[in-house]
Amino acid sequence: LSRVAPIEIWAFSFGIFVWCRGEMSETTKRHESIHFHQWVECFFLGFPILYGFYWLRGVIAKRSGREAYYANPFEEEAYMHQDDKNYLENRPFYHWKKYI
């Protein structure tokens, strides 16, 4: 994916699966676990559709692909809380909507 993506991809979640280039750090595990919760909240099928929509919206807003990636509400939530060890225990449902 890193060959076509605007960023260097270390780990990638797809539904219940996560692919990683090596051993995942605890931070990466939390980041990808946040994405898993987002997949569940979007009933799995909705996540890739919404993720693509928000990325495309970012690109259309004259952002680079890299800026569009980081401005995606799913990524904003995951990056904002990936260092919080207790976040998943206290995470409100649909918290990614806060970043729209």
Side-chain angles (χ1 to χ4, degrees):
L1 287 174
S2 290
R3 293 180 190 198
V4 295
I7 62 160
E8 185 72 21
I9 296 175
W10 175 254
F12 174 79
S13 64
F14 188 82
I16 62 171
F17 301 102
V18 175
W19 286 270
C20 185
R21 289 185 170 191
E23 189 171 336
M24 282 193 285
S25 68
E26 291 302 314
T27 299
T28 301
K29 288 178 186 177
R30 278 190 295 276
H31 181 100
E32 298 305 330
S33 293
I34 291 168
H35 284 319
F36 172 74
H37 285 265
Q38 295 165 343
W39 276 89
V40 170
E41 290 167 348
C42 294
F43 302 101
F44 290 94
L45 183 59
F47 181 85
I49 294 167
L50 287 172
Y51 192 100
F53 168 77
Y54 288 120
W55 182 82
L56 188 59
R57 184 179 78 169
V59 170
I60 291 170
K62 301 197 188 248
R63 295 185 174 136
S64 69
R66 183 179 179 82
E67 290 173 344
Y69 167 79
Y70 287 109
N72 188 311
F74 295 112
E75 294 299 340
E76 285 190 75
E77 179 192 12
Y79 278 109
M80 181 68 70
H81 300 286
Q82 69 184 8
D83 295 319
D84 182 350
K85 295 177 182 176
N86 299 313
Y87 180 68
L88 288 170
E89 296 170 8
N90 303 311
R91 180 184 177 270
F93 287 114
Y94 298 99
H95 197 231
W96 56 271
K97 287 185 174 185
K98 171 185 174 185
Y99 300 93
I100 295 175

